[in-house]
Structure formats: C-alpha cells, structure tokens
Amino acid sequence: MTELKVLEGKKLTVIGYGSQGHAHTLNLKDLGMDLTVGLREGSKSWEEAEKAGVKVKKISEAVKDADVVMFLTPDEAQPAVYENHVKDNLKEGAYLGFAHGFNIHYKKIVPAGKVNVFMVAPKGPGHMVREIFEKGHGVPCLTAVYQDISGDTKEVADAWANGVGRKVGIIETTFKEETETDLFGEQAVLCGGVTELMQAGFDTLVEAGYNPEVAYFECVHEMKLIIDMVYEKGFAKMRDSISNTAEYGDYVTGKKIITDKTRETMKQVLGDIQNGQFAKEFIDETETGYKFMKGERSKYSDSKIEEVGSKMRQMVFKGSAKNHM
Ligand code: NAD
Ligand code: MG
Ligand code: MG
Ligand code: MG
Ligand code: MG
Ligand code: MG
C-alpha cells in the first residue's frame, strides 16, 4: 500500500478506544503502523486495548511525542480533553485528526496555528469499520483538511483513510459539509426519521387492533430486508424485487406520508444545524448531565415495540450465536 508510506515511521496516536477508536487503532495496527492509544487513567478501555496488544498511555503522554493524533472521544468530551491534555502537548507540525467535524466547525476547539488539522470520517459505525476490515474489505471514508501548515496534510488524511478503510474509496469534503450533512442525515433520515417512521407504523396497526407481533414484522423487522436491497442494488432493483402490489402502494402512499410539510420541516431542521442552534441545544443538554436523553432512553426501553421486538428476535435468531440486529 504505497499510499500509506506517508504514515510509515511516524508515531501515531489515537485518543479514545470506543466505537471508532478501536476500529482505527486495530486496522492501522494490522497494517504494521506504530500506534499508541491515549486514555484517561482508570479508563475501562485500558485493559481491553492492552489485551488487543495495543500500547496504551495516558492522553498527555500519548500526545507528547506523536506526529499524528486522531481524536476519537465523544464529541462533547473533546473540548475539555483538548484543553487539559492535548493542546500543550501537541508538538509543532503535528497532524490533529477528527472523525466528525463538530468541534472544529462550531469552534468549540480552536487549534493552535502550529498544527495541521484533518478529518477522516469512515462511512459506517465503528464496529462495522472493524468487522468489514477483518473480512478483507473496507468502508469508504470522507476526508477533509482544515489547516495545512506542513503542505502534506491531505496526503496524511488520505493515507489514514486508506489504512482504516482499506483503500475502498475516498470522498473529499470540508469540515462544514461533513458536519452539517452528518447531523442532518442522522436526525432527519437515518436515526430520528427511520425510528419514528417505524414507531408510527407499528402504533397505527396496534391501535387498530392488529397483533403486535405481526405489526412488528411489517413495520420494523422487514425494514432491514428492504434497506439491504437498496444498499446493494439501488431503488429500482429493490422495486423490481417487491411485488407489483407493493410497488404501486409505494408510489401512491409514500408521498402521502412524507409530505410537502415534512420537506418544509427538513429545511427547518437543516437551518438549525447551519445556524448552530442544534449544536447549542446539544451542548446545553450535555451540561444537564443528559437529563432529556436519559428520560427518552427509559421511555423507549419500557415501550411495547421493544418488548415485542425482543421476543421476535429470540424467535428469528434462535440458535444463532450472533445478534444480527
Ligand atoms: P465512543 O463513545 O464510542 O468512545 C469514546 C471513547 O472515548 C472511549 O474509549 C472512552 O473511554 C473515551 N472517553 C469517553 N469520555 C471521555 C472523556 N470525558 N475524556 C476522555 N476520554 C473519554 O465514541 P465514538 O462514537 O467512537 O465517537 C468518536 C468520534 O467519532 C466522534 O467525533 C464521533 O462523532 C465520530 N464518529 C463516530 C461514529 C461511530 O460509529 N460511533 C461514526 C462516525 C464518526
Ligand atoms: Mg453511543
Ligand atoms: Mg454519520
Ligand atoms: Mg454523526
Ligand atoms: Mg409485507
Ligand atoms: Mg416488482
């Protein structure tokens, strides 16, 4: 992998060993890179990383002699970690990397002029980034450069992406574009949009007196089957595969569910991401100790849909070692 040459001989540090952290670390380590993980003293991940054969140091020590530092703690923890452990230890000309542009774009972290700043955002959850790599494939990555004092920050970002994602593909972006599209996608479509859509469908059927188990299969379980077809072959091939009855219903009903009003709301959601309102509200929430989020989590964990889902998964995945969901 000649594209990785720019990282060879450099000391690489990954801060954090969570979802993305373990994936970046283990993928690059498997490719023979010299890598250290930086963690808080007493971190639960410490032992886990050492068990995987990774060098672990406390964050300030891991940053001190590093050429490239990839920052993979939760976004809301990054500003304090940066202030207390990273800022004064970063050497001049070091490359500071992120997997999401939030803190740089919203200026919660303003890096010193003496460092390079880049992004490698793998397009997949961390555990998938690792699993797919272990199977010999990779996920595509977005890359961006925010600050380039050494003149080769793009090469460093591309090399990191090629390592973590096994050269599957790089899409160039900016911190602004990645931050705003990532937040919009997860809120309006992937997480917020999809879960509320499944929930509303399930509730409609159950309230009308249908069997919750049947409702769960129709509105939740089968989502994966349809999405897998879209993922692998696109919309047209998915529609080819479903019955004509389903395809006709798709065309006539889809636009009654996602209406002009929904699209208008999407624009407002995007506006609040662009003007920083969402970022402000999220940071306020973290400062309450996640009061709202904790309430939502317990509401959902006690819900009918989860109760039925748990039963259905036991049936569907009986005898299989792995939870496919
Ligand atoms: P995570 O919550 O899985 O991992 C957190 C890691 O940071 C853990 O090792 C934990 O020990 C450490 N940590 C937690 N709080 C800390 C603190 N206060 N101080 C120091 N260390 C702390 O994080 P993640 O979901 O992997 O996200 C990391 C970055 O990757 C974020 O910028 C996120 O937006 C981005 N990202 C994540 C995913 C994903 O799949 N989860 C996908 C794309 C981008
Ligand atoms: Mg989480
Ligand atoms: Mg995303
Ligand atoms: Mg995100
Ligand atoms: Mg059906
Ligand atoms: Mg068909």
Side-chain angles (χ1 to χ4, degrees):
M1 272 195 193
T2 49
E3 290 88 341
L4 290 189
K5 270 221 147 52
V6 65
L7 297 180
E8 282 164 14
K10 285 195 167 65
K11 282 192 171 359
L12 314 182
T13 282
V14 171
I15 308 177
Y17 195 72
S19 179
Q20 285 291 319
H22 91 288
H24 289 233
T25 299
L26 297 179
N27 292 6
L28 291 173
K29 183 178 162 290
D30 284 356
L31 296 172
M33 297 293 135
D34 174 11
L35 202 137
T36 304
V37 168
L39 292 174
R40 289 172 291 183
E41 280 169 289
S43 160
K44 275 184 277 174
S45 312
W46 198 294
E47 208 186 305
E48 197 191 323
E50 280 187 336
K51 248 192 223 152
V54 181
K55 268 183 287 180
V56 186
K57 293 180 180 173
K58 59 179 193 176
I59 297 171
S60 54
E61 291 300 318
V63 170
K64 220 166 241 165
D65 54 356
D67 299 300
V68 186
V69 175
M70 178 54 82
F71 210 155
L72 299 176
T73 67
D75 295 307
E76 65 273 30
Q78 287 179 5
V81 173
Y82 180 79
E83 221 29 58
N84 300 328
H85 308 287
V86 176
K87 190 173 79 178
D88 296 333
N89 292 308
L90 270 177
K91 67 183 188 190
E92 201 168 329
Y95 301 81
L96 179 62
F98 294 84
H100 177 40
F102 191 96
N103 285 302
I104 293 291
H105 179 61
Y106 293 117
K107 303 211 175 331
K108 303 300 162 194
I109 292 177
V110 181
K114 62 172 189 176
V115 299
N116 303 288
V117 181
F118 71 98
M119 172 166 40
V120 172
K123 286 288 92 187
H127 291 91
M128 229 167 102
V129 173
R130 178 59 185 159
E131 256 179 57
I132 292 177
F133 183 95
E134 283 183 299
K135 288 183 185 149
H137 309 293
V139 299
C141 297
L142 298 183
T143 66
V145 171
Y146 181 79
Q147 191 162 287
D148 181 23
I149 60 159
S150 301
D152 62 352
T153 309
K154 182 175 160 21
E155 283 80 349
V156 169
D158 287 355
W160 194 282
N162 279 328
V164 170
R166 258 200 221 281
K167 296 208 280 188
V168 160
I170 289 176
I171 303 161
E172 265 184 69
T173 185
T174 60
F175 274 66
K176 175 178 159 58
E177 182 175 77
E178 185 278 336
T179 304
E180 293 174 352
T181 56
D182 186 74
L183 293 174
F184 178 79
E186 64 203 17
Q187 293 173 30
V189 183
L190 305 175
C191 307
V194 162
T195 52
E196 277 305 315
L197 184 66
M198 293 190 288
Q199 180 81 54
F202 175 83
D203 290 345
T204 302
L205 290 177
V206 172
E207 278 162 24
Y210 295 98
N211 178 354
E213 296 179 1
V214 175
Y216 191 87
F217 267 104
E218 286 303 330
C219 299
V220 184
H221 188 81
E222 287 191 45
M223 176 71 86
K224 173 167 164 51
L225 312 180
I226 297 297
I227 294 304
D228 279 354
M229 284 194 277
V230 173
Y231 178 82
E232 283 160 23
K233 299 171 182 161
F235 280 70
K237 283 277 164 50
M238 179 277 284
R239 283 173 167 144
D240 200 29
S241 179
I242 61 179
S243 65
N244 284 338
T245 328
E247 186 182 355
Y248 174 74
D250 164 348
Y251 297 139
V252 297
T253 304
K255 288 184 176 58
K256 292 182 193 163
I257 301 294
I258 307 298
T259 61
D260 287 346
K261 184 162 182 301
T262 315
R263 286 171 181 265
E264 210 34 63
T265 306
M266 283 190 175
K267 284 183 193 151
Q268 287 166 21
V269 166
L270 182 58
D272 281 345
I273 290 167
Q274 290 166 331
N275 67 25
Q277 179 62 25
F278 171 79
K280 182 190 171 305
E281 285 172 16
F282 174 59
I283 291 163
D284 288 349
E285 164 68 7
T286 69
E287 284 166 2
T288 67
Y290 306 96
K291 200 161 166 249
F292 167 76
M293 286 172 72
K294 284 177 181 163
E296 291 299 294
R297 280 176 195 157
S298 72
K299 247 196 268 169
Y300 279 100
S301 68
D302 291 342
S303 66
K304 183 88 189 159
I305 201 168
E306 286 284 71
E307 183 196 315
V308 177
S310 159
K311 230 170 103 189
M312 295 299 93
R313 284 192 296 278
Q314 278 173 32
M315 181 175 103
V316 173
F317 301 118
K318 197 163 43 191
S320 104
K322 194 160 175 268
N323 182 352
H324 291 71
M325 305 299 274

